[in-house]
Amino acid sequence: MTATYIKNSFQTLWMVWEDFFDVLTKYRSESVRRYGICKLVIRKHQGKPIECYDGQRIDKGEWIGELHLDNRQVLQMVRTLGSDRAGLRIARMFRKAVEQITLDMIGQPELQKIKALTGITLLHRGIIHGMGFEQHPIKARFQRSFFKLYLRLLLRTMHPEGNRRIQAGSEKLSPVMLIISQASLKERAADQAACITGQEAVS
């Protein structure tokens, strides 16, 4: 009972931090959009250029879209569904959000200027499987250490078995940058549309 109370207290405090972080995010970005379980932060890339595997290059000052999971929704699903079922639903909702963002990139001027979607995460394999995201190491030592500490604390707070997962797979829980260029997103969307059209023609 005491452990559960402490866990819930930490989760409540984390949600207060999330609200504060949302306010900070609005000041460091051009805009923030919500797509289901995702928050899309539209801002200019800072730091060194990023070379995507598909040949696209993201230079300093060019527009990117940072993907952030809405941890309030994540926490609610974990509490009501359990971690396994919540994980499956989060993956489906994430996929749907990225699909909608891709459509808006085609039709809305504000999103057409975004060269890539990015995100920093520890737990990425189940969520992004088959979506075309590239995985890039975080090279700057300070950034790598900061994100490692921050994301592990988030895992401990949000996941019912966060402590055990960190202890069991500590060497695997290193932060990575996920990135997919706008060109790759549109290419995958076109391929999916062609596949659906072909299936409808056959049926």
Side-chain angles (χ1 to χ4, degrees), residues 32-162:
V32 179
R33 294 188 174 204
R34 292 185 177 271
Y35 290 87
I37 201 163
C38 284
K39 290 178 283 189
L40 178 68
V41 179
I42 301 172
R43 70 175 187 86
K44 291 184 177 180
H45 172 60
Q46 302 298 322
K48 296 181 179 180
I50 303 173
E51 298 283 352
C52 298
Y53 301 154
D54 65 358
Q56 300 295 314
R57 177 186 170 99
I58 315 301
D59 289 311
K60 182 178 180 179
E62 293 188 302
W63 292 98
I64 60 172
E66 282 185 353
L67 292 172
H68 298 264
L69 287 179
D70 185 337
N71 287 318
R72 194 174 296 277
Q73 291 188 55
V74 170
L75 178 58
Q76 183 178 3
M77 281 189 282
V78 169
R79 284 177 172 176
T80 57
L81 301 176
S83 58
D84 292 338
R85 290 178 61 194
L88 293 173
R89 180 170 293 187
I90 291 167
R92 289 196 296 267
M93 294 177 69
F94 181 79
R95 185 179 297 271
K96 185 176 181 179
V98 172
E99 289 174 354
Q100 185 58 56
I101 292 170
T102 304
L103 291 175
D104 285 355
M105 279 182 170
I106 297 172
Q108 298 187 18
E110 184 184 21
L111 268 65
Q112 288 175 356
K113 65 187 180 185
I114 293 176
K115 291 200 67 174
L117 299 181
T118 69
I120 305 293
T121 184
L122 290 177
L123 304 174
H124 56 277
R125 295 173 181 82
I127 292 180
I128 67 167
H129 178 71
M131 294 184 66
F133 278 89
E134 303 172 8
Q135 300 174 28
H136 290 245
I138 300 174
K139 297 180 180 179
R141 181 178 299 178
F142 173 78
Q143 285 187 327
R144 186 169 62 250
S145 298
F146 170 79
F147 283 120
K148 184 176 183 178
L149 177 63
Y150 178 84
L151 292 172
R152 287 190 177 199
L153 180 59
L154 176 62
L155 180 59
R156 288 179 186 271
T157 302
M158 292 294 178
H159 200 285
E161 300 177 352

